[in-house]
Amino acid sequence: MAKYTNASPWVQTSQNKLYLEIWEPIPIPAESDDYEYVIQASYNYRPDLLAYDLYGNPKLWWVFAQRNADIIFDPIYDFKAGTIIKLPKKSKLLSALGLG
C-alpha cells in the first residue's frame, strides 16, 4: 500500500490493498489575504514550476487547480499565460497542509 505525504493531493483519500478509493479533495479555502496572480509565459502548462518558485515544493502543483476550480478544469492545459488565478499565501498553505 502506498504512503502519501502531506504534499500529495491523495493524502486524505482512503485506500485498500489494491487501489485508492474515491478521491477525497483537500480543501484549500479562500482567505481574505489570498492574492491574484497572472500566469506568466515561463509557467505556461507548468504548474509544478510555479509551485516550486512560490512554495518551494513542485509537488504542490495541484493547489492551483484546487483553489481555482472555477477557472482551471484541466490542471495542465488550463494553466496558461495570461490566466488570472487566486493564490494562498505560502505560510497559510503550508500550515494547512501540515508542512510548516
Side-chain angles (χ1 to χ4, degrees):
M1 191 162 26
K3 177 79 173 145
Y4 294 98
T5 68
N6 286 358
S8 171
W10 300 283
V11 71
Q12 292 186 356
T13 302
S14 303
Q15 44 186 323
N16 63 34
K17 291 182 181 181
L18 298 175
Y19 53 84
L20 287 170
E21 300 289 346
I22 296 173
W23 178 55
E24 288 291 332
I26 301 167
I28 307 294
E31 299 280 346
S32 61
D33 61 350
D34 284 356
Y35 58 98
E36 285 189 349
Y37 178 81
V38 178
I39 299 173
Q40 304 299 309
S42 59
Y43 300 116
N44 210 32
Y45 308 122
R46 294 299 306 267
D48 58 324
L49 295 178
L50 182 60
Y52 179 77
D53 288 348
L54 292 178
Y55 303 128
N57 188 338
K59 293 181 180 181
L60 294 175
W61 60 268
W62 57 271
V63 169
F64 307 127
Q66 186 79 5
R67 174 63 183 84
N68 297 280
D70 57 333
I71 299 168
I72 300 175
F73 301 103
D74 182 302
I76 303 300
Y77 293 109
D78 288 342
F79 202 84
K80 49 190 167 192
T83 303
I84 300 171
I85 59 174
K86 296 279 192 175
L87 298 177
K89 298 245 181 198
K90 180 179 180 177
S91 59
K92 288 194 175 188
L93 175 65
L94 297 181
S95 176
L97 296 175
L99 297 172

